[in-house]
Amino acid sequence: MKAHLSRRYRFSASHRLHSEQMSDAENRAIYGKCNNPYGHGHNYVLEVTVSGQVDPNGMVCNLVDLDESVNREVLSRFDIENLNMRPEFADSVPTTENLCTVIFDLLNQDILKRKFTQAHLERVRLEETMMNSFEYSGD
Amino acid sequence: MLYLTRKAEFAASHYYHNPELSPEENRRLFGKCNNPNGHGHNYVLEVTVKGEIDPHSGFVVDLKQLKETMHREVLDAMDHRFLNKEVPEFRTQIPTTENLAIAIWRRLAPKLTNAKLHRVRVYENHDLFVDFYGEE
Ligand SMILES: [Zn+2]
């Protein structure tokens, strides 16, 4: 029996949306307030969805294993950090879109490499504020 | 096709234990949730049905009927109950959120006449929920 399990996590980080490819005027025009040179922060909410068969213990994925993976791969990298300083964003602007795909890839690689669960990473949803959220399913 | 979602809330207690495993394995796997005295949650249930809009009523489903079915089939059986002891499905299955979503689907699906059940979502708490879309 296949089910989807979703778990929510929180982290806070700062970023500045600024692209070296564009002039200062273009950056201001495209990113507005988010281009402020000193950056600004968000309380992000990360919703991770995995899917798979419900095992004889009644689980799609052991939550202790999932929490451990999210803690190591995501929260320990980005919580209380400046995203622009992180190597993951050396070549890209830390928009929440890009952050969403980076998080999906990190978690997916960890699941595929360590095989701690049979479940499949279905989706990563990232809430930047109560008003905006972004979803990525790997394609 | 239109989708309609109705929410309900119920409080229930449970514990996790697999009789096929040793007490040590149970404690390792389920941690605190293995305590046989149980613990409780305020579950939130979201039932989503789908269907075409009836041209006479303008409804996908009679919400009153849906609400009554949810009450009769799910809430009357599970609200303020010890799931392991008082809900027949969980004499043989572990009442995880996954199994709860499946049990609720099986209770509701055959009783919904006009609209088709699309999804059962069960929140164990704000940060943990399971979606079940049926048994294909
Ligand atoms: Zn519990």
Side-chain angles (χ1 to χ4, degrees):
Chain A
M1 214 64 67
K2 186 186 172 192
H4 296 232
L5 176 127
S6 302
R7 182 106 153 134
R8 288 159 64 90
Y9 304 87
R10 284 164 189 77
F11 64 95
S12 306
S14 63
H15 67 173
R16 178 200 182 198
L17 303 187
H18 181 85
S19 167
E20 300 296 340
Q21 284 10 321
M22 294 187 275
S23 69
D24 285 354
E26 279 179 294
N27 269 299
R28 267 195 304 277
I30 291 189
Y31 295 125
K33 275 189 187 171
C34 297
N35 186 236
N36 169 8
Y38 298 107
H40 63 280
H42 295 287
N43 294 322
Y44 293 95
V45 176
L46 167 65
E47 193 178 285
V48 175
T49 301
V50 295
S51 67
Q53 296 298 319
V54 178
D55 70 16
N57 294 316
M59 297 172 172
V60 166
C61 174
N62 189 309
L63 289 176
V64 174
D65 296 335
L66 182 63
D67 288 353
E68 201 213 329
S69 174
V70 173
N71 271 316
R72 197 185 41 246
E73 297 300 326
V74 182
L75 306 183
S76 72
R77 278 175 214 260
F78 301 131
D79 190 28
I80 322 288
E81 292 283 343
N82 179 334
L83 298 177
N84 299 71
M85 315 283 272
R86 294 286 316 172
E88 294 82 359
F89 294 102
D91 305 312
S92 61
V93 182
T95 59
T96 307
E97 289 89 330
N98 282 334
L99 183 56
C100 202
T101 66
V102 164
I103 291 174
F104 183 96
D105 291 340
L106 287 168
L107 290 176
N108 201 33
Q109 277 159 23
D110 192 43
I111 291 174
L112 297 177
K113 195 176 75 199
R114 291 195 302 120
K115 298 187 170 51
F116 61 85
T117 175
Q118 295 297 311
H120 159 84
L121 182 62
E122 188 74 31
R123 183 178 65 232
V124 161
R125 191 169 154 266
L126 199 54
E127 295 175 13
E128 184 185 66
T129 67
M130 265 164 64
M131 312 297 172
N132 312 331
S133 68
F134 303 81
E135 291 183 26
Y136 182 63
S137 307
D139 45 38
Chain B
M1 188 72 78
L2 216 107
Y3 296 80
L4 178 147
T5 301
R6 170 87 197 172
K7 274 195 197 198
E9 217 185 332
F10 63 97
S13 60
H14 69 174
Y15 73 105
Y16 294 166
H17 181 80
N18 182 343
E20 318 256 290
L21 303 177
S22 69
E24 295 72 38
E25 281 177 294
N26 267 294
R27 269 196 300 277
R28 191 190 56 77
L29 187 61
F30 297 124
K32 279 188 182 172
C33 297
N34 188 228
N35 176 351
N37 296 322
H39 63 279
H41 297 283
N42 296 322
Y43 291 96
V44 175
L45 167 63
E46 269 183 29
V47 174
T48 303
V49 297
K50 61 180 172 188
E52 299 299 338
I53 300 175
D54 180 305
H56 297 290
S57 65
F59 289 161
V60 171
V61 62
D62 182 340
L63 201 50
K64 190 163 156 279
Q65 265 177 23
L66 175 62
K67 195 175 139 188
E68 278 166 9
T69 309
M70 285 165 63
H71 266 269
R72 198 176 52 242
E73 303 300 328
V74 181
L75 304 185
D76 288 352
M78 299 187 184
D79 189 28
H80 288 76
R81 301 283 180 185
F82 195 148
L83 299 175
N84 302 66
K85 298 182 199 238
E86 296 184 273
V87 177
E89 287 93 326
F90 302 120
R91 295 215 180 97
T92 51
Q93 280 172 12
I94 306 168
T96 57
T97 318
E98 289 90 328
N99 281 336
L100 201 48
I102 295 171
I104 291 172
W105 176 285
R106 288 182 173 159
R107 282 169 175 256
L108 289 175
K111 306 286 178 184
L112 294 174
T113 42
N114 300 331
K116 207 167 157 340
L117 192 54
H118 171 65
R119 185 183 73 194
V120 165
R121 172 174 284 189
V122 180
Y123 286 88
E124 184 184 273
N125 57 55
H126 185 61
D127 292 327
L128 178 66
F129 60 92
V130 168
D131 291 320
F132 186 63
Y133 293 89
E135 346 217 336
E136 1 65 71

